[in-house]
Every structure is written in C-alpha cells, then in structure tokens.
Amino acid sequence: MNMMLRSPNRPAVAAQGAWTLPLAGLALGLLALGLLFQTEVTAAVATWDRSAAYTHCWLVLPIAAWLAWSRRERLATLRPRPSLLLALPALGGAVAWLVAERLGIMEGRQLVLIGLVWVLVLATLGWRIALAMAGPLAYLVFLVPFGEFLTPMLQDLTLRMIEVGLRVTGIPHYIDGLIIEIPSGTFLVAEACAGLRFLIAALAFGALYALVMFRSPGRRAIVMVLALVVPVLANGLRALGIVLYGHYLGSAEAAAADHLVYGWGFFSVVLLLLVLAGLPFREDAGEPARDTDALAPLRPAPRATGGGVAAAVVVAGLAGIGPLAAAQLDAAVTAPRVIPTTLGAAEGCTAEGLALRCAEGTATARLVVFDPAANWGVIAAARRAALDAVDDAALAFNVNAPGMAWQARQEPGRPALTAVAAWRDGQPAGDGLRSRLAQALSSLRGGSAAPVLAVVEFLPAAEAGTPPSQALRRVLAAQAEGLAMEAAGLSKGR
C-alpha cells in the first residue's frame, strides 16, 4: 500500500513567517527606545508610585494589551509591510523631544516617546496594521502622567464653585487666597481638593469606555467631552458639600476628616451614572465599523525580509539624535552654586548671623545660582526638591510683592514651611512657558544670564500665637530691598 505524505498548510506557515522578522524588529526597536529614553520611563514610573493622581497608570499597559487582543481578528487578513519611508517621522520626534528637553517639560518628552513608539509600529508593521491597532496605540497616551499644570486652575475653579454655593445658601464666609472661613471653621482648597486625580482617572476610563462601547467618532468625542467636564463639576459640588456639611455639624475638622475617601465614593457614583447614561447608545454590536473594521485584505505578502529590523534601526537611530544633541549642549554646563545669605529685617524679627529670628519661629535663606547654559528643567527640578512636593494635601500659597513671586508650601505632618522664588536676567521668573522659552533660547545662543533660585525655610517656634503661614508671609514681603535685589543682581547677564 502506497503511503502519501501530506505537506503542511503552506499558506499558514507563510503567514506566520511573514510576521517573524517585523515583530523581532518591533521588539528590538522598543528595547532601543527604552534605553535611549530611560530617564523619561523612570520619571513616569516614579510619578505613578508617588502621586495618587496617577496610580491608574499601572493599569494602562494591561488595558492596552487587552484592547489589542480583542482586535486580533482584524489582523487575520493583514500582513506586515515594513517601510523605511515611514520611519522618517522619527526625525521630527527627535526635534520635538529636544524642544521639550530644552524647555524642561518632562511630560512633553514622555509624550514624544509615545509618538516614537507609534512611528516604530508604523515603520516595522505597516500603516494598515497600525490603523487596525489605532485604539490600543492611542490608549498608551495615558502612560504619561500629564495634567499637573492644571492644578492651580482647578483649585481656583473649585474655590469659585464653593463661593457661589455659599452665596446662594446665605452662609457667612470670608475667602483669603485658597482659604475659606465660615462660622464653623476654616477650610483649605488644597491641591488634593482640585480634583486632578478624579479628572485624569475619568479621562482614562472615558477613553476605555468610548473604545469598547462606541464606534462612531462623534459618539466617542461626546464621551470624552463628558469625561472632561463632568468630573470638574462633580468635584466642585463635592467640595461645596463638605463645606456645607461642616456648617451643619458646626465643625470644619469633622467634615473634612476622610474627605478624600468620601470623594472617591462620590466619584464612583458619578462614573456609574455616566456609564448607565451611555448604555442605551452603545454600538459594540451590529455592523462593523467603516474604518479599521472594514480594512481590505492585502494580497499575500512577498517573501519575508529584514525590512522590519532595518526600519526599527532607522527609527532608533533618528530618535537618538535628540538625546545626543542634548548631551552635547549640556557637556559644558557646570553644577549650580549654593550661597547662604541673610534675610532682610521684617517687623517683629531680629537678625542673628544668617538667621532671622521672629516670635513665631526662625527663618533662613540660601541662593542657588545656575549655569547660564542650564535648561529650565534643572531649575524646575531644584524648585520641586526644595519645596519637597510629595503630598497634594499640603498647605500651599503664593506671596507676590514688587520684584518677587514666591511659592510657599508646608507638607502635612512637617512643621517647617518652605518658600521659593526664581529670577532670570534681573527679573522675577515663574515656572511657565515664557521663562522656559527665554532660558532655552539663551542656552542655545550662549547667553550670560544666570537663573537664580532663592529658598527660604521657616521653622515655627514650639508655641507661636500667630499661624506660621502668616509669619512667613510677613518675612517674604520684607525681602524686596534685600534678598530679592541680591538674587536679581546675580541673575543679570553681562
């Protein structure tokens, strides 16, 4: 009896082989990007671990992987089509990264890294596969801990909503900065009360809900708008409710106890209501989408080559131009100089050496002078380190006076208060885009203006009748003719 040997399914083997080298190139490219931009990756992970506003970021990669797996059928008729031409946008990414690095915007650098990952997928697997996986790839944006710059604006918005509510209810109140006083006590609209953690988590959840439940771009856009607006309004109502509850109890402390726990419960209810409101309009079943679901199958791919690996090498090589250029620019930058200095006399205080002793406590100061070629990221990092900003429930306030713009902060459980202010080229410099851009241009052109950071620390006395924050405000307001003039003079260019 003759026996006939059957050959394996050649089309299936060919299809599997067509993916091998492109996937190897993708893995190689991801490894290279991780090594080139390990500072950005490390900073992101540290923020996830440190800040309660970004703990949801730990779930982004598993969710993106699940979204990709749920779309695996879209890849059944597609084959990788590596393209060196599609790797060229990585050069634009390198330029964008260098701009963000010179401006000292870590979130910008991290967003560029996500963009480079998109370029890598596009170049190694082809535009059709990238389009089929557009949802999971877009969701990777939530790996970036962005939005912290919104905190002051959200604090102010929350404060205004509380103020309107108190006026409507007729409750007597007095507002000083972010502090609200009512007959039953005092409330502080701290950074934790701004609602940033609710807003960022709602956006991440809203994006997931939109990708899973809806197909049309219009409905997905509506979901994202609601995920942006509703948490902000809900947080203002939550904060107002705490103040009203304190008025009802007659104790601000009792109402504020565990208010963040209550806030998450309230936020969960708001999300549940949004989910229920969207269920009648779901589009997760029925006809396939007209965009990625209707991708026309490609003709059988040609014999597998090393195009995917070559594309990954090109992407990594072009992306590396940014860090290489930054290293060259920073090669001659020297370490900052720390200069202990005296504080100007304030009412009720006397100078004792470098310290200023007041009835409420003792203040000391130092100036940190940076290299004129340093980028603003170094100054911003020194500012954050001096303020020791690790808890968004801290007491934070600003003190503005002619020629000065101070940021002050007191961490919970720590008696000392710290205030910082910066000067550049003889003028006060904030932490906004204008100061960052001016320093970036100066560092590129070889300017001589040296950024200066002033740090004032105030240690309250064991028994002080005046709140330490008021004493520090008084000390800072008295520095216009002393410390501020010295810092401004050191910061001037030649």
Side-chain angles (χ1 to χ4, degrees):
M1 182 173 61
N2 294 331
M3 302 209 35
M4 183 179 293
L5 297 177
R6 295 185 177 180
S7 62
N9 189 332
R10 291 185 178 179
V13 173
Q16 183 178 2
W19 284 86
T20 303
L21 285 177
L23 288 179
L26 178 61
L28 177 65
L30 290 175
L31 177 61
L33 291 179
L35 293 175
L36 282 171
F37 302 100
Q38 57 181 322
T39 301
E40 286 76 10
V41 175
T42 302
V45 173
T47 304
W48 303 349
D49 186 58
R50 170 182 58 84
S51 175
Y54 301 104
T55 51
H56 67 276
C57 292
W58 292 104
L59 300 175
V60 171
L61 275 179
I63 290 174
W66 174 78
L67 288 172
W69 178 255
S70 67
R71 287 159 170 73
R72 64 191 182 278
E73 294 182 358
R74 303 183 181 185
L75 305 180
T77 57
L78 301 177
R79 300 291 180 268
R81 307 284 290 200
S83 170
L84 294 180
L85 185 63
L86 294 178
L88 295 182
L91 180 59
V95 174
W97 181 91
L98 184 60
V99 171
E101 192 272 341
R102 289 293 94 185
L103 293 176
I105 304 175
M106 177 56 72
E107 295 89 342
R109 294 163 59 176
Q110 292 164 339
L111 286 171
V112 170
L113 176 56
I114 297 298
L116 289 172
V117 171
W118 295 344
V119 173
L120 178 65
V121 173
L122 190 66
T124 57
L125 301 183
W127 69 268
R128 288 182 178 272
I129 292 176
L131 184 60
M133 293 291 110
L137 289 173
Y139 201 76
L140 295 179
V141 168
F142 293 104
L143 288 171
V144 178
F146 61 88
E148 191 173 348
F149 66 95
L150 295 173
T151 298
M153 182 181 69
L154 292 174
Q155 282 178 284
D156 185 66
L157 185 58
T158 302
L159 178 70
R160 299 308 164 201
M161 292 182 68
I162 295 174
E163 184 179 14
V164 170
L166 292 177
R167 288 179 178 176
V168 171
T169 55
I171 298 176
H173 61 278
Y174 172 74
I175 295 178
D176 180 16
L178 296 173
I179 298 175
I180 304 169
E181 294 183 8
I182 63 174
S184 61
T186 301
F187 295 87
L188 169 67
V189 184
E191 293 175 0
C193 302
L196 178 65
R197 61 183 69 183
F198 302 144
L199 175 60
I200 300 299
L203 287 174
F205 178 81
L208 176 61
Y209 189 65
L211 287 171
V212 172
M213 291 295 189
F214 302 98
R215 294 180 182 274
S216 65
R219 295 191 183 187
R220 286 177 173 176
I222 291 174
V223 171
M224 295 308 297
V225 170
L226 291 175
L228 177 65
V229 174
V230 172
V232 175
L233 298 177
N235 183 69
L237 293 176
R238 176 192 68 87
L240 175 60
I242 292 173
V243 176
L244 295 179
Y245 186 49
H247 177 72
Y248 173 76
L249 292 177
S251 171
E253 291 78 9
D258 298 326
H259 67 285
L260 291 179
V261 176
Y262 303 147
W264 276 115
F266 179 72
F267 176 68
S268 300
V269 172
V270 170
L271 281 186
L272 178 60
L273 293 176
L274 285 176
V275 169
L276 294 177
L279 286 179
F281 307 98
R282 61 190 294 179
E283 297 175 310
D284 58 321
E287 296 183 0
R290 295 181 180 178
D291 48 6
T292 57
D293 281 0
L295 291 173
L298 293 175
R299 289 175 293 180
R303 189 173 182 179
T305 65
V309 176
V313 171
V314 172
V315 169
L318 294 176
I321 294 176
L324 180 61
Q328 292 295 322
L329 291 172
D330 292 336
V333 175
T334 59
R337 294 182 294 123
V338 180
I339 306 174
T341 188
T342 58
L343 286 163
E347 183 181 355
C349 303
T350 57
E352 293 186 10
L354 294 178
L356 189 66
R357 298 197 180 277
C358 310
E360 301 86 355
T362 303
T364 57
R366 64 181 183 274
L367 297 177
V368 184
V369 183
F370 295 88
D371 190 289
N375 68 39
W376 198 263
V378 178
I379 294 94
R383 181 196 298 266
R384 288 192 298 269
L387 291 174
D388 198 16
V390 298
D391 195 323
D392 55 8
L395 169 64
F397 56 92
N398 297 330
V399 177
N400 295 318
M404 300 182 294
W406 295 92
Q407 291 178 311
R409 188 180 183 92
Q410 182 181 25
E411 292 291 316
R414 298 182 185 180
L417 287 82
T418 305
V420 298
W423 287 261
R424 187 192 171 280
D425 202 13
Q427 299 296 324
D431 205 20
L433 186 59
R434 179 179 298 179
S435 298
R436 294 171 182 270
L437 182 59
Q439 182 60 26
L441 293 176
S442 177
S443 66
L444 292 174
R445 297 171 178 172
S448 59
V452 175
L453 187 69
V455 182
V456 175
E457 295 180 343
F458 186 85
L459 183 62
E463 297 181 0
T466 304
S469 59
Q470 293 186 16
L472 178 59
R473 288 175 186 268
R474 191 173 73 250
V475 170
L476 296 177
Q479 303 311 311
E481 300 298 328
L483 179 65
M485 291 186 63
E486 182 182 0
L490 289 171
S491 71
K492 288 182 178 179
R494 295 186 297 271

